[in-house]
Amino acid sequence: MIDKPYEIEKKSMEIIEEELRSKGLLDSIDPTLLPLFKRVIHTSADFDYAENLKFINFSLEDIKKLLMSGTATIITDTNMALSGINKTVLKNSGAKALCFMNDEEVKKAAKERGKTRAIISMEYASGLYKNAIYSIGNAPTALIRTGELIEQGLLNPALIIAVPVGFVNVVESKKYIERVCKALHIPLICAEGRKGGSNISAAIINALFYSIENIRNEDSSPALEERKKDLKNGEDKNKAGVSYEDKYIISHGRKLRCGFTTGSCAALSALGAARNLFAKKALREPLAIMTPKGVEVKVLPESSSYDEKENTGYCSVLKDAGEDMDVTDGIEIFARVSLLENSSNIVIEGGEGIGRVTRKGLSQDVGEKAINPVPLAMIEESLERAREEAGLETGLKCTISVPKGEEIALSTFNKNLGIEGGISIIGTTGIVEPMSEKAFSDAICLEISQLAAEGYKRLILLIGNYGKEYIKRPEFSDFKHVVCSNFIGEAIDAVIANKYEEVLIVGHSGKLIKLSGGIMNTHSLYADCRLELITLYAALNGAPLSLCKRLLDQVSTDEALRLLSETDIYEKVLDSLLDKIQYHINERIRRDRAAGTIKIGALLFTGNSKENSLLGISSVGKEILYK
């Protein structure tokens, strides 16, 4: 009996080859690709793959060179496929394999846009790794989106492995990607028909690696030895993967370049200043850090100096916000580093232009410098690194300053958040994503948290500035308010997390009517179906076809509602819309286990910023206002 794993695998491969021969299939397979066919059949016990695996624009030698380059990246559409890739070959080759299905940004974007995580994960990956190997073994939607990104010029993969499995859109997605790859000369391995799966995806990747001699043996690869040297020298190429200058995101069909945060800027400045201190001279060499996002930021310092009399190093770096509309773009962030006598501690302070915290609810205590925890850790890591390079254990004092910080802060949300006298040093990933809505929604959620920390339990979520005049009325006097803009879903989640008791969402009909369709981000880029929703509920309440057509022809919700007000179904339509708005709010609450007994209702008004009137209040809204 054969009981050793290697011998079992070897015998299995012999059986597969013999059976391929007996079925008359062996002669039709390229001998250099036979091990790959056998690996897939070994994984699936399905000989159909001998006939349905297709190779387009494919060169095994080119792929082998890529896999052994030490820079190869493989993107999968499932964690199952990721876990099936042999970890030894990844280590020996210096390659890395990634899946973004569980990434928090991907989850959030999928929820907001009503798209599958598989689609969003491909978009997200394309902004980081445009020349990677993309292996799709589960979701045909991910394969279709990958093809679209290629056609749009936003992705140029080294190889596509197209093996999604199933009955819906699977065959069509494979035919589509074949057309794209043929037209644009993209290498492709495709399992035609319905068959495939994450296990097949992993099997193909492993087979490509196994085509490299000795790749499966521990410590046998020349690439591994080079990798060890890189790690010893502190240059983790596998971790870096991509420079911030090569990182893009796709925003509404546009390719936008990323930048780096004020936190990264401060960490780079601190590194340069500490090196100047230990070298006892001004250095003009590039500075590089690895951000928490796993993206390298490498820049030249804007200024670099050493004060011999004070025994102090100085360095500054200009912030590059990429194509983000960021008021801090181009500002100069300085670091001053000196020795801390009789101590091995690292002390980091905020100097000129760094704000101070004046309200509870932030990650720093009142009176502390406005340097967030992640940037603080990045600065400390840079100082530790410089100290290790110098072979010393001496204590260091680092002061971060932004000479124009107080002036720039006037154009930020800082005052609302309780940060006075300057800007914040912020950033959880170290990378700025262009036109990112995340920073805006994070600021809104932070304001909600701060009010909760100050003991408030009743809150108005205001959809835009139109409602500011409206909520000056006496019935709203004991409510605090936060302008949540279009981010209704995030704001609801935030009030639940902060254990508010009663919350009223107040907004113009042009925004809040979208909520009757379950739309939790009311920006027109995501959805604009206001007139369609009004028309739907008009039709459900007996509106004739002629009226429905007229409603759809209106230019605004105000005009559509004015038209409806001339009919005898007006009140019924309003009630239907309000009931559905309340339903979707309740559903959002119900999905959160921490929701408890919170009440969230809605109030709609119509008109403009100067003159507006009540349109309607949802059932829970009435309970909150008129209890």
Side-chain angles (χ1 to χ4, degrees):
M1 175 180 168
I2 302 173
D3 59 1
K4 294 181 179 179
Y6 175 74
E7 291 181 358
I8 292 172
E9 181 179 302
K10 183 180 178 183
K11 183 63 176 175
S12 297
M13 295 301 180
E14 290 172 357
I15 293 170
I16 290 168
E17 186 166 343
E18 182 56 39
E19 196 158 334
L20 284 170
R21 183 177 289 107
S22 67
K23 292 176 179 289
L25 299 171
L26 191 61
D27 291 342
S28 63
I29 296 173
D30 182 337
T32 64
L33 297 176
L34 179 59
L36 188 151
F37 280 88
K38 288 162 66 174
R39 178 68 48 189
V40 171
I41 295 168
H42 178 257
T43 299
S44 62
D46 188 342
F47 281 84
D48 284 354
Y49 285 105
E51 297 180 277
N52 69 21
L53 274 183
K54 302 297 179 185
F55 297 78
I56 294 170
N57 304 319
F58 180 81
S59 165
L60 181 60
E61 288 305 311
D62 287 347
I63 294 300
K64 286 165 68 173
K65 287 177 184 176
L66 172 64
L67 293 175
M68 286 302 293
S69 68
T71 61
T73 301
I74 299 156
I75 306 296
T76 70
D77 68 326
T78 65
N79 284 299
M80 179 179 172
L82 179 66
S83 65
I85 300 171
N86 188 306
K87 302 305 180 286
T88 297
V89 302
L90 287 174
K91 182 178 74 170
N92 283 357
S93 65
K96 63 179 174 182
L98 303 166
C99 177
F100 293 108
M101 287 290 282
N102 288 331
D103 186 277
E104 290 303 318
E105 292 181 33
V106 168
K107 289 179 182 178
K108 184 177 178 180
K111 194 174 184 180
E112 288 176 349
R113 292 170 55 190
K115 302 287 186 182
T116 66
R117 278 192 289 159
I119 289 174
I120 302 300
S121 71
M122 292 299 111
E123 293 179 356
Y124 186 82
S126 71
L128 287 168
Y129 306 103
K130 59 184 176 183
N131 301 121
I133 294 172
Y134 281 74
S135 189
I136 292 95
N138 182 64
T141 54
L143 188 58
I144 291 169
R145 186 63 185 129
T146 301
E148 291 171 345
L149 291 167
I150 294 170
E151 287 191 301
Q152 292 165 9
L154 303 174
L155 187 62
N156 184 31
L159 172 67
I160 297 286
I161 300 171
V163 290
V165 61
F167 297 92
V168 179
N169 296 328
V170 171
V171 174
E172 293 83 357
S173 70
K174 291 175 181 178
K175 288 180 178 178
Y176 168 63
I177 202 68
E178 281 192 22
R179 291 197 302 271
V180 171
C181 289
K182 284 177 180 177
L184 299 175
H185 306 288
I186 303 294
L188 172 70
I189 301 175
C190 182
E192 294 185 327
R194 294 173 173 173
K195 293 184 178 182
S198 295
N199 58 335
I200 303 301
S201 168
I204 291 173
I205 293 167
N206 286 335
L208 293 172
F209 274 115
Y210 297 165
S211 67
I212 301 166
E213 187 177 0
N214 293 326
I215 192 70
R216 297 173 74 178
N217 298 333
E218 285 284 355
D219 301 325
S220 65
S221 167
L224 179 60
E225 294 307 314
E226 289 300 314
R227 173 97 172 105
K228 287 177 178 176
K229 290 178 185 176
D230 289 339
L231 289 170
K232 186 176 181 181
N233 294 330
E235 298 171 2
D236 190 345
K237 293 179 183 176
N238 191 45
K239 187 178 179 185
V242 65
S243 163
Y244 92 95
E245 294 175 311
D246 297 323
K247 186 178 184 304
Y248 294 81
I249 66 163
I250 310 307
S251 178
H252 310 298
R254 291 181 60 210
K255 184 178 180 182
L256 302 171
R257 185 176 68 82
C258 293
F260 53 89
T261 62
T262 50
S264 292
C265 212
L268 288 160
S269 297
L271 177 62
R275 283 177 172 172
N276 290 344
L277 170 65
F278 291 127
K280 295 190 179 299
K281 63 179 180 180
L283 303 174
R284 284 292 297 171
E285 60 190 20
L287 302 168
I289 61 167
M290 181 59 59
T291 63
K293 186 97 172 169
V295 177
E296 183 187 50
V297 175
K298 187 174 184 179
V299 298
L300 279 171
E302 179 66 13
S303 68
S304 181
S305 63
Y306 171 71
D307 188 317
E308 185 177 358
K309 186 177 179 181
E310 294 184 358
N311 192 24
T312 299
Y314 296 86
C315 184
S316 68
V317 170
L318 294 181
K319 182 183 172 184
D320 177 4
E323 294 184 73
D324 190 46
M325 293 185 293
D326 187 338
V327 294
T328 63
D329 184 35
I331 63 167
E332 194 170 0
I333 296 183
F334 290 79
R336 175 187 188 274
V337 178
S338 57
L339 297 178
L340 200 61
E341 300 297 336
N342 303 317
S343 174
S344 60
N345 294 336
I346 289 177
V347 175
I348 301 167
E349 296 184 345
E352 178 189 5
I354 303 296
R356 294 281 161 175
V357 176
T358 63
R359 288 175 58 186
K360 294 179 180 179
L362 293 171
S363 52
Q364 305 89 1
D365 293 333
V366 172
E368 287 292 312
K369 59 189 173 297
I371 302 178
N372 284 6
V374 172
L376 202 62
M378 292 170 68
I379 296 166
E380 185 172 352
E381 184 178 335
S382 287
L383 296 169
E384 284 275 15
R385 180 173 153 200
R387 190 163 66 174
E388 288 175 10
E389 289 170 354
L392 299 173
E393 295 182 0
T394 182
L396 293 174
K397 179 182 177 182
C398 176
T399 302
I400 303 297
S401 61
V402 185
K404 294 184 179 179
E406 190 168 4
E407 176 188 342
I408 292 167
L410 298 175
S411 302
T412 71
F413 282 100
N414 278 13
K415 190 173 182 180
N416 291 348
L417 300 176
I419 297 169
E420 302 281 354
I423 67 166
S424 314
I425 301 298
I426 60 172
T428 56
T429 66
I431 296 297
V432 173
E433 294 194 348
M435 303 183 72
S436 170
E437 295 176 338
K438 186 177 187 302
F440 190 31
S441 64
D442 284 352
I444 292 165
C445 293
L446 182 56
E447 195 171 352
I448 290 168
S449 299
Q450 285 182 310
L451 288 171
E454 293 170 8
Y456 296 102
K457 295 296 181 183
R458 304 185 87 202
L459 187 70
I460 287 174
L461 295 175
L462 206 54
I463 315 301
N465 292 316
Y466 268 22
K468 283 186 175 179
E469 287 297 317
Y470 190 86
I471 63 171
K472 288 180 179 178
R473 301 180 185 199
E475 58 264 40
F476 305 113
S477 60
D478 62 341
F479 285 86
K480 284 289 182 180
H481 79 269
V482 171
V483 178
C484 70
S485 185
N486 297 298
F487 303 100
I488 298 176
E490 287 91 338
I492 290 174
D493 295 343
V495 297
I496 291 171
N498 285 282
K499 302 189 183 305
Y500 280 85
E501 293 174 359
E502 295 181 334
V503 178
L504 201 59
I505 303 172
V506 177
H508 188 274
S509 59
K511 289 287 188 181
L512 275 190
I513 275 177
K514 294 182 183 182
L515 206 53
S516 67
I519 297 162
M520 292 290 171
N521 185 324
T522 57
H523 198 290
S524 59
L525 286 170
Y526 290 93
D528 190 7
C529 52
R530 299 164 294 171
L531 296 175
E532 288 83 355
L533 287 165
I534 292 171
T535 304
L536 168 65
Y537 287 104
L540 289 173
N541 282 284
L545 181 61
S546 58
L547 176 58
C548 290
K549 288 180 177 179
R550 289 183 66 197
L551 288 170
L552 288 172
D553 286 338
Q554 302 306 304
V555 295
S556 68
T557 54
D558 283 347
E559 288 301 306
L561 292 170
R562 184 196 57 76
L563 180 60
L564 264 179
S565 68
E566 299 170 358
T567 72
D568 57 2
I569 62 170
Y570 178 60
E571 294 297 333
K572 291 181 180 179
V573 174
L574 283 184
D575 288 344
S576 297
L577 287 165
L578 288 163
D579 287 347
K580 207 62 180 177
I581 288 169
Q582 189 63 59
Y583 167 80
H584 285 296
I585 292 171
N586 292 345
E587 281 296 292
R588 186 81 176 204
I589 297 170
R590 185 183 62 80
R591 292 202 301 268
D592 195 319
R593 294 179 182 177
T597 58
I598 190 172
K599 289 183 178 181
I600 305 178
L603 182 151
L604 280 70
F605 60 83
T606 186
N608 56 43
S609 59
K610 294 181 179 178
E611 295 182 13
N612 42 54
S613 57
L614 178 66
L615 190 63
I617 308 174
S618 71
S619 55
V620 176
K622 290 176 181 176
E623 290 177 26
I624 293 170
L625 279 175
Y626 308 128
K627 62 181 180 180

